[in-house]
Amino acid sequence: MNEVKDEFHFRDLKADEITVKAFPIDNGISVILYKDARVDMTILNETVGPKNWTRLYPHGAAYCEVSIWDADKNAWITKGDYGQCDFGTNSEKGTASDSFKRACFNWGIGIELYTCPVICIPKHFVTTVAAKMGLKVVDELYVSEFKVKDHVITDISVVSKLSGQLIYCFKNGAEVKVEPKLTYQNQLRVFISGIEGLTISDVAQEFKLNGTSSEDEFKSALDKLKERYNAK
């Protein structure tokens, strides 16, 4: 067994290790930042070594124990927690992943996420389409900047991958007002990407759009498509 220090200092999360979820609420779009199980495994491997930690599910997927070898005590130190699958489904795999992530939080991995501010952005910052359970956010969002000091988040930047626009900014512990400037051409591309079976070439052909088309022409096509697909 390799020797592992008694005290474990897990590094902060990196921007590209954070996953973003966005969903409509009454007063805008709620944005949630979280880590996945692969990030936890990566940080455990980096910090204590792949042979010096283990995970067990002694009572089923809903409860996970993460143990790390303590060379000084010549013993495994264990911390566990309960989890549940996202969105109320009964996926055993999803439940096991959630309980593992929560157990890793107890070890301090990604604990800075608990200091994340409540992120709610205006609905016009992203494009939504009609779905079975209401509106659905089309844009894929990602964290472009993420800074932490003493386990507290100080800076966050969230960007729409489809539009390339900054939609949320948090600097030095305070929210900074942003106003994305999406051209109607970009809005149209974002909208098309969220409609199954609809392609840019089909829309361009139908509305006679090309690289020299005006913003008014792109807006007209977007408005007609939104009316057709009952989107807002």
Side-chain angles (χ1 to χ4, degrees), residues 90-223:
N90 294 317
S91 168
E92 184 175 1
K93 181 178 180 181
T95 301
S97 178
D98 189 58
S99 60
F100 171 64
K101 289 184 290 184
R102 290 175 182 270
C104 289
F105 270 127
N106 289 340
W107 276 107
I109 301 176
I111 196 170
E112 60 270 21
L113 290 177
Y114 286 131
T115 70
C116 185
V118 175
I119 303 177
C120 182
I121 61 175
K123 289 183 179 179
H124 71 274
F125 279 23
V126 295
T127 298
T128 58
V129 297
K132 292 181 179 179
M133 301 299 291
L135 294 179
K136 174 185 177 182
V137 176
V138 174
D139 306 50
E140 180 182 349
L141 309 180
Y142 70 93
V143 175
S144 63
E145 182 180 27
F146 187 76
K147 294 182 180 179
V148 178
K149 183 177 181 181
D150 298 327
H151 305 299
V152 176
I153 297 172
T154 61
D155 296 66
I156 306 170
S157 293
V158 180
V159 176
S160 166
K161 187 174 183 179
L162 288 171
S163 68
Q165 296 291 312
L166 177 69
I167 63 167
Y168 179 79
C169 184
F170 186 78
K171 289 282 188 182
N172 299 318
E175 184 174 343
V176 178
K177 185 177 180 180
V178 298
E179 186 64 44
K181 296 179 180 180
L182 291 180
T183 64
Y184 286 111
Q185 182 177 7
N186 281 338
Q187 290 184 49
L188 183 60
R189 289 180 178 273
V190 171
F191 183 85
I192 291 170
S193 70
I195 305 297
E196 186 175 355
L198 189 64
T199 66
I200 293 176
S201 59
D202 290 339
V203 172
Q205 183 176 2
E206 178 181 352
F207 295 100
K208 297 180 174 54
L209 299 173
N210 54 52
T212 62
S213 298
S214 68
E215 276 288 275
D216 287 340
E217 290 173 308
F218 283 112
K219 181 180 184 304
S220 176
L222 178 62
D223 289 342

